[in-house]
Amino acid sequence: MKRTTIMIAGLALSAAATPLLAGEPLNLYVKGGLVSSQGDTRDMTNKGHGYTLELGYMGAPASWDGLQYRVYGGMVTIPGDSGFSPWLRVDRGNGSETIPYSTYQALTPSQQSGMTVFERKFSYDVRGNFFGFDMIHSVKVGNIPFNVFLGPSLHQWFVTRVNPNEAQGDRNWRAGWRVGLGYPVAKNVEVNLTYVFTEWRSKDAATMPYEKGGNPSRPAYLTLAGAYRF
């Protein structure tokens, strides 16, 4: 995974330097929009929505025969459901049962050691930084123009358990991919739908009880956003 991370970072940096070395004008853009959590992200947050902000620039080298590229960086935030009641699935020697986490906390250390915790469920705030590189191809469906894009990305996740609050996992950069479809509504304005799939794992993934979406975890999300190029 470290090799993949280095390759993606090198690709993004090389693309970032292209317009500077070639003397191309920088087509800067800013993008913001809503996030819909998917897969493990929904399991972690117990919530369906958040927001994202992104900055970057686009280029279209003459030798690329109409293809464009985009180099970008940004952040995404999907708050966890603060009203969710965490629970544990335990075995006290007479079969499995589900108990509230507050009940487990109220037990004495000897009572806790007398049971096996094999599954748990909490709510987490999921926030992250990212940067990456897209290839963009313009197509037409009938007379309607679209921009199809695909590219690798890198993500740094900051995951915090809610009630009780506790930082989780590591903050190493992880590889991801995104694919999307853009619709230009004006000369410098585009609305796009993007799907992002990434990776994140807890520090104690080998020893902690099973947790759907959290052990291991591969966050994914959809964004519906507007971008303005200037």
Side-chain angles (χ1 to χ4, degrees):
M1 185 54 64
K2 288 184 178 180
R3 183 178 297 177
T4 302
T5 300
I6 292 171
M7 289 176 63
I8 294 173
L11 179 62
L13 290 174
S14 297
T18 298
L20 301 178
L21 296 175
E24 297 177 11
L26 294 180
N27 295 306
L28 302 174
Y29 75 91
V30 59
K31 182 170 101 171
L34 301 177
V35 172
S36 173
S37 60
Q38 304 291 312
D40 288 350
T41 309
R42 183 175 289 270
D43 290 328
M44 282 196 292
T45 61
N46 297 295
K47 194 172 182 178
H49 57 274
Y51 62 90
T52 184
L53 296 172
E54 180 178 313
L55 297 172
Y57 65 81
M58 300 172 65
S63 60
W64 285 22
D65 194 26
L67 285 176
Q68 300 179 75
Y69 68 86
R70 171 167 48 216
V71 179
Y72 62 87
M75 54 81 65
V76 60
T77 295
I78 307 175
D81 182 1
S82 59
F84 179 80
S85 298
W87 52 262
L88 303 176
R89 188 160 288 136
V90 303
D91 187 345
R92 308 192 205 206
N94 54 358
S96 67
E97 60 179 304
T98 301
I99 62 173
Y101 183 67
S102 57
T103 300
Y104 180 80
Q105 287 182 303
L107 298 176
T108 64
S110 61
Q111 289 174 317
Q112 292 179 357
S113 63
M115 66 175 63
T116 300
V117 179
F118 58 90
E119 186 176 355
R120 68 183 192 179
K121 181 66 173 172
F122 290 93
S123 188
Y124 298 90
D125 286 334
V126 177
R127 308 173 192 274
N129 301 320
F130 58 82
F131 71 93
F133 171 82
D134 287 337
M135 293 295 297
I136 308 167
H137 180 57
S138 297
V139 298
K140 278 191 175 183
V141 179
N143 292 322
I144 304 175
F146 291 99
N147 293 318
V148 180
F149 55 91
L150 169 70
S153 54
L154 291 175
H155 302 256
Q156 182 184 37
W157 291 108
F158 301 86
V159 180
T160 303
R161 189 171 70 190
V162 179
N163 294 332
N165 291 343
E166 181 182 327
Q168 303 290 303
D170 64 63
R171 296 180 177 180
N172 293 324
W173 288 92
R174 303 293 186 180
W177 282 89
R178 76 176 190 177
V179 60
L181 185 68
Y183 174 64
V185 296
K187 181 180 179 181
N188 295 321
V189 180
E190 180 181 272
V191 174
N192 59 50
L193 182 67
T194 308
Y195 178 76
V196 182
F197 181 81
T198 73
E199 185 177 26
W200 173 80
R201 284 185 171 87
S202 301
K203 283 182 179 177
D204 54 350
T207 58
M208 63 184 274
Y210 170 75
E211 183 168 9
K212 186 178 181 182
N215 179 25
S217 180
R218 296 176 178 86
Y221 57 91
L222 280 169
T223 70
L224 179 62
Y228 177 74
R229 189 191 300 191
F230 52 93

